[in-house]
């Protein structure tokens, strides 16, 4: 079974996010005073072959720990995991 | 009304993604042969003050076009937009 997956990797709470802070400083000058607390993470999309959703989620979890995220400073989160063709 | 938002900014289909290609080349050596088609994008999280969901979505759309994404090569997508405290 094939799945479409989207995984978010974001900085853990309390870890400084200079990229987010820079965006936030730019917002008022552009007229977006209503936006605050900007944090920037990564969004990975890929296809994965697995027996079922549970097996796919397990592989993704392992892949996040070993390749996509730095568990010391980052959290990973499966945002989408949908079967392709049914 | 305050909302928690998550926006994904991803490369348009057909735009080369060297970062995704590099991750994909590393996968077999780590035992993840079942994963393919890796694409890497950005995930922005922030809070936004707006009258309602529609107004918030409009501001986010404008912010993506003017600051967060490069519309020539990137698509943006609101993944989450949830009211805080009800």
């Amino acid at each position: 079974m094939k799945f479409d997956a989207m995984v978010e990797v974001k900085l853990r709470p309390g870890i400084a996010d200079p990229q987010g802070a820079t965006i936030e400083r730019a917002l008022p000058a552009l007229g977006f005073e209503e936006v605050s607390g900007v944090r920037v993470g990564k969004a990975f999309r890929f296809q994965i072959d697995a027996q079922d959703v549970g097996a796919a989620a397990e592989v993704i979890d392992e892949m996040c720990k070993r390749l996509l995220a730095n568990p010391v400073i980052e959290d990973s989160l499966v945002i989408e995991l949908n079967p392709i063709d049914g």
Side-chain angles (χ1 to χ4, degrees), chain A:
Chain A
M1 227 178 148
K2 212 158 179 160
F3 298 86
D4 260 327
M6 201 271 256
V7 172
E8 178 191 8
V9 172
K10 58 181 173 180
L11 290 167
R12 285 175 182 268
I15 303 286
D17 181 354
Q19 200 180 352
T22 303
I23 291 170
E24 205 164 328
R25 272 199 308 276
L27 289 169
L30 293 167
F32 298 107
E33 287 89 357
E34 60 273 65
V35 177
S36 63
V38 182
R39 306 276 289 171
V40 185
K42 277 167 280 183
F44 298 93
R45 285 194 179 267
F46 50 85
Q47 286 81 50
I48 179 166
D49 243 320
Q51 201 81 26
D52 52 45
V53 177
E58 240 171 80
V59 171
I60 292 173
D61 187 55
E62 184 66 21
M63 190 169 67
C64 286
K65 279 189 201 146
R66 292 186 56 198
L67 184 66
L68 302 183
N70 175 352
V72 177
I73 58 166
E74 291 172 325
D75 283 327
S76 54
L77 199 64
V78 178
I79 303 282
E80 292 176 18
L81 186 54
N82 304 314
I84 305 175
D85 303 327

